[in-house]
Amino acid sequence: MDQRKPPATEEGWYALHDCRSIDWDAWREAPQRVRDRALSEGIDFLDAYEAVEDADEGQTAVYTVMGHKADIMILHLRPTMGDLDAAERHFEQTEFAAFTEREFSYVSVTEASGYTEKSREYFEGEVDDDSGLAQYIQARLHPDVPDEEFVCFYPMSKRRQPDQNWYDTSFEERAAHIKRHGDIGRTYGGDVNQMIAGSIGFDDWEWGITLWSDDMRHIKELLTEMRFDPSTSQFADFGPFYVGRKFDPSELPAVLAGQRVPTDDEPVPDTPSEDAGHEHAPAGAGASHGHADEPNSSGAHAGGDTGSHGGAHPGSAGEGDHPHSEESADEDDHPNESGSSSGASGGRPDVSADFEEIDDATQRLGRLGLYEGDAYDAGDYALLFHSSADAEDIVDDVSELSESFDHYDRHVQTAVRADSGQTYVVSIWTAKDAAETAAGFLTDIDGIERTMGGPLGEATDDGDVEDGGDAAAGGSEAAESSQSIRETLEAEGVYAGQPHGEDVYALVVYSEADAGTLDDEVADLRSAFDRYDTHVKTTVYGDPDAGVTAVASLWDTEDAAETAGDYLTDLPGVVRRHGESDGFGTMGMFYTVKPEYRTDFVEKFDTVGDLLVEMDGHRETSLLFNHDDENDMFIASQWDSQEDAMAFFRSDEFSETVSWGRDVLADRPRHVFLA
């Protein structure tokens, strides 16, 4: 048999289709802070790669995937295989990747091949680089990912059976098949865009086909018609099909929350509430509403403004031995771009529930100097957005936004606050639905990273605040005691944990062991604890002068903390756990001090310590230092009774200390009380 003649080919960008499933059980069980970090890193990765920060050229897009085969598909196009390899490995380093499993992947390279006389002239160098055909083929090799909403990806090969072997047919027969196939594809110009990538020697199949359209029926109709063409019916075998919808990286939280994406396909309410009769959205605050809550959201539309799509309709010049093959390529007869834009690209999505829900908004606002009765009323709703920008750089923008909000009766206030070197934008409304709409405008403020919102107590019929925590629900004496402490501290702007169940659960054991020995033992224990997402920190604190050493371990769940307690009590020299002695003990008063203020903080503690000695019911209060970081401190205090301790917390001296501390602390203090 004569040697068959292969077509000339030219290669462009390398492609990776990375199809992932989400471990939904692990996602639901993960603590909120872990999910937040995973979303942040996932968005940062996708934003960076869509911006092509890792290579001189290329494209990246992300899609949901429908059906059982996967949940998301990340498509990378890069100039070199090294760029593609780096992108793949980079994703695996993100916290988000830990919640995914790769179900399928495909490696290929964009390809143009020629069977017609005109295309052969191109490959033989007889066509000018600025000709229409040359520019078209280069666009095929270096495509822009189109904005179309839907994607369909599948691999395929040409059949190699005794009576149906594509590679045994003559060049002329193959060229005739491809021309006829191209004639079919040309009729779908403007409705379907495509990318053809060769994978002989790269993957298990020979080509990877990616189709885009704003209507999946167009893709179905195209493929159905081509099934009846002999080049497909006699010579084509197909792999699995992956169908999905494009979304912007900023909408990753919506994907994980089970919301419809792209979210801007949904109608956006033009009022703070979707119920008729409420005020209209603030005039002059921007023409669009906010998007999903995530750090570093780009706000970009899906796919960006590419200017051109990822190639013309199937069946165009420069395609190879695949179902969507090349038409009769004329230099002046290359296909037109559809020019259409995806319905996924317009507007901004509805912002309902698009920020992190918190239940300690009262405490957080207290730390910023905003208190009930002065800055807001019980039953109001607060948004608390963190910005990486300096407060003075955004104060004008926030002030303008606040003036727009003031047109609406349900707006209480919107302002910039700074605390411990951090910048916050606080917006308070009389109802959550009004705050949700306002959130859309606030996310456009420079540097917005973390977005949170929560109720400020619950107003009863008589106007009093109804506590929704365990103290009111359970009625236990311990819960009531700890809640009364929190209420008192909140009035002073001091964070004191969540009702009864804290935002973390803390255990402390005291040891007489040598500090060096204890450090080594705890380091081993901490390494074991770090394998669990529920572990926050386990630290050795000591006071050399008093001969006191404590090991504090913080966890997200009570069960995990209790389990850890069994290991902590096995540490060398442990003499007691916190709470095992009589009297009323407070613990979990953790402070991280700015290095330049450490000496001042210690001196301040000594001053307060002298005051404590004179107070009724005070037994012992120690300031302990982290053995690995002297600026991280822990205060342990023991009292005869809760009322004795409360007398101190209500004192002017304590209030002054709290106010003073806001300037010297590097991070928010964490107070966890075990009553």
Side-chain angles (χ1 to χ4, degrees):
M1 180 178 290
D2 295 336
Q3 173 71 35
R4 300 302 183 189
K5 179 182 177 181
T9 63
E10 185 170 336
E11 287 71 35
W13 282 344
Y14 294 87
L16 172 65
H17 291 73
D18 189 356
C19 298
R20 302 267 174 162
S21 63
I22 306 296
D23 186 341
W24 294 108
D25 289 337
W27 183 256
R28 284 187 290 267
E29 293 170 2
Q32 185 62 49
R33 64 182 180 83
V34 175
R35 294 198 298 268
D36 289 343
R37 185 169 63 248
L39 289 172
S40 175
E41 293 186 11
I43 291 167
D44 287 349
F45 172 87
L46 295 171
D47 271 340
Y49 275 82
E50 281 203 359
V52 201
E53 293 183 0
D54 67 315
D56 293 333
E57 300 173 292
Q59 295 272 302
T60 291
V62 60
Y63 303 86
T64 62
V65 176
M66 288 169 272
H68 71 285
K69 297 173 187 173
D71 291 308
I72 62 171
M73 178 174 71
I74 304 172
L75 167 61
H76 292 296
L77 294 171
R78 289 297 185 271
T80 71
M81 270 202 160
D83 296 325
L84 211 61
D85 181 56
E88 182 178 11
R89 303 299 167 221
H90 187 185
F91 178 76
E92 293 294 353
Q93 303 306 311
T94 67
E95 184 83 16
F96 179 67
F99 290 98
T100 71
E101 272 190 38
R102 174 177 280 162
E103 300 292 350
F104 179 83
S105 65
Y106 201 80
V107 180
S108 56
V109 61
T110 56
E111 175 186 279
S113 62
Y115 280 98
T116 68
E117 183 177 350
K118 275 293 184 182
S119 62
R120 288 196 296 273
E121 290 178 2
Y122 169 83
F123 288 107
E124 291 170 3
E126 299 176 4
V127 176
D128 292 338
D129 289 343
D130 59 355
S131 69
L133 177 61
Q135 291 179 14
Y136 169 70
I137 290 179
Q138 287 303 309
R140 302 291 296 171
L141 298 177
H142 310 99
D144 283 328
V145 176
D147 291 338
E148 273 73 8
E149 177 179 0
F150 294 100
V151 67
C152 173
F153 169 76
Y154 59 94
M156 58 83 56
S157 295
K158 288 298 188 182
R159 194 167 292 155
R160 295 187 299 277
Q161 296 180 3
D163 297 328
Q164 295 173 308
N165 192 328
W166 176 262
Y167 299 98
D168 276 345
T169 60
S170 67
F171 183 92
E172 292 73 18
E173 183 179 354
R174 280 178 275 135
H177 276 300
I178 287 171
K179 180 183 183 303
R180 186 178 57 253
H181 209 66
D183 290 341
I184 297 173
R186 185 170 52 189
T187 64
Y188 288 84
D191 291 328
V192 179
N193 287 304
Q194 73 165 357
M195 180 179 72
I196 305 299
S199 50
I200 295 176
F202 286 12
D203 220 310
D204 296 340
W205 300 81
E206 294 172 343
W207 287 275
I209 315 299
T210 309
L211 305 176
W212 292 276
S213 180
D214 280 332
D215 189 336
M216 274 301 298
R217 290 173 296 182
H218 294 318
I219 294 177
K220 177 180 180 293
E221 291 162 1
L222 166 65
L223 295 181
T224 299
E225 188 170 352
M226 286 187 167
R227 287 293 193 275
F228 289 89
D229 181 70
S231 63
T232 299
S233 62
Q234 294 181 26
F235 295 109
D237 289 322
F238 299 95
F241 281 68
Y242 293 84
V243 174
R245 301 176 70 235
K246 193 173 187 180
F247 68 94
D248 188 88
S250 67
E251 295 176 317
L252 186 62
V255 172
L256 273 293
Q259 299 174 7
R260 178 188 173 103
V261 292
T263 53
D264 52 6
D265 281 345
E266 293 290 287
V268 179
D270 61 355
T271 65
S273 170
E274 295 189 12
D275 298 330
H278 289 296
E279 303 90 0
H280 289 289
S288 57
H289 297 296
H291 45 73
D293 164 30
E294 80 292 320
N296 301 322
S297 77
S298 68
H301 296 315
D305 296 322
T306 60
S308 63
H309 295 293
H313 57 76
S316 302
E319 299 167 12
D321 298 338
H322 38 66
H324 313 284
S325 302
E326 95 188 87
E327 65 176 297
S328 179
D330 222 359
E331 182 173 333
D332 298 322
D333 190 30
H334 56 279
N336 294 324
E337 303 279 351
S338 70
S340 63
S341 62
S342 169
S345 300
R348 297 280 294 278
D350 183 5
V351 296
S352 298
D354 278 349
F355 43 78
E356 176 189 350
E357 290 280 352
I358 57 175
D359 52 10
D360 63 341
T362 300
Q363 297 95 314
R364 292 175 187 265
L365 262 60
R367 293 197 300 277
L368 299 176
L370 300 171
Y371 308 116
E372 181 191 334
D374 180 18
Y376 60 86
D377 293 327
D380 288 349
Y381 196 92
L383 298 174
L384 184 64
F385 289 7
H386 176 257
S387 173
S388 60
D390 291 335
E392 57 268 25
D393 292 339
I394 64 172
V395 66
D396 289 342
D397 290 339
V398 174
S399 295
E400 290 180 6
L401 204 53
S402 181
E403 290 177 4
S404 296
F405 290 162
D406 282 340
H407 289 94
Y408 308 100
D409 293 339
R410 294 196 291 175
H411 180 237
V412 179
Q413 68 163 297
T414 297
V416 178
R417 288 288 187 272
D419 178 57
S420 300
Q422 304 294 314
T423 302
Y424 299 91
V425 178
V426 178
S427 189
I428 304 174
W429 297 76
T430 60
K432 179 181 178 181
D433 55 2
E436 286 174 340
T437 298
F441 302 103
L442 294 170
T443 51
D444 289 333
I445 298 296
D446 286 346
I448 292 297
E449 294 180 335
R450 188 179 182 190
T451 56
M452 299 171 286
L456 299 170
E458 183 177 345
T460 60
D461 291 339
D462 59 4
D464 292 335
V465 180
E466 180 181 346
D467 181 3
D470 290 344
S476 70
E477 181 177 351
E480 290 173 355
S481 298
S482 57
Q483 179 61 18
S484 65
I485 295 173
R486 292 180 184 87
E487 290 172 351
T488 299
L489 293 180
E490 284 169 15
E492 300 296 339
V494 177
Y495 172 69
Q498 301 296 328
H500 188 53
E502 273 54 83
D503 64 340
V504 293
Y505 292 79
L507 293 171
V508 173
V509 297
Y510 296 90
S511 173
E512 296 176 336
D514 172 76
T517 301
L518 200 57
D519 279 338
D520 293 339
E521 293 281 347
V522 171
D524 292 340
L525 199 57
R526 183 166 49 241
S527 297
F529 288 165
D530 280 342
R531 292 195 296 249
Y532 302 95
D533 289 338
T534 51
H535 181 234
V536 178
K537 64 185 291 187
T538 297
T539 309
V540 178
Y541 293 91
D543 180 359
D545 296 333
V548 177
T549 302
V551 179
S553 190
L554 308 182
W555 295 78
D556 279 329
T557 66
E558 186 174 16
D559 289 344
E562 286 301 322
T563 301
D566 295 336
Y567 295 94
L568 292 172
T569 52
D570 288 337
L571 289 170
V574 169
V575 291
R576 64 182 174 90
R577 286 177 57 163
H578 180 85
E580 289 182 340
S581 60
D582 62 342
F584 176 78
T586 66
M587 60 77 52
M589 301 169 70
F590 298 94
Y591 302 90
T592 303
V593 182
K594 296 175 183 177
E596 63 269 27
Y597 288 108
R598 182 182 182 277
T599 301
D600 293 340
F601 186 90
V602 174
E603 291 176 353
K604 186 72 170 181
F605 175 79
D606 290 340
T607 300
V608 174
D610 293 339
L611 172 67
L612 292 174
V613 171
E614 304 299 325
M615 295 195 69
D616 293 337
H618 176 256
R619 296 189 180 186
E620 179 182 27
T621 297
S622 301
L623 177 63
L624 293 81
F625 305 93
N626 183 342
H627 284 188
D628 296 324
D629 179 4
E630 65 176 6
N631 299 309
D632 175 18
M633 307 179 196
F634 159 56
I635 296 178
S637 191
Q638 192 77 21
W639 300 78
D640 287 339
S641 69
Q642 174 192 328
E643 199 51 46
D644 291 329
M646 291 302 300
F648 170 65
F649 295 134
R650 294 189 185 104
S651 68
D652 292 339
E653 289 82 0
F654 181 76
S655 179
E656 292 171 1
T657 302
V658 170
S659 298
W660 174 83
R662 292 194 182 103
D663 294 327
V664 305
L665 297 180
D667 197 0
R668 76 171 193 186
R670 173 175 269 143
H671 302 78
V672 181
F673 287 79
L674 298 183

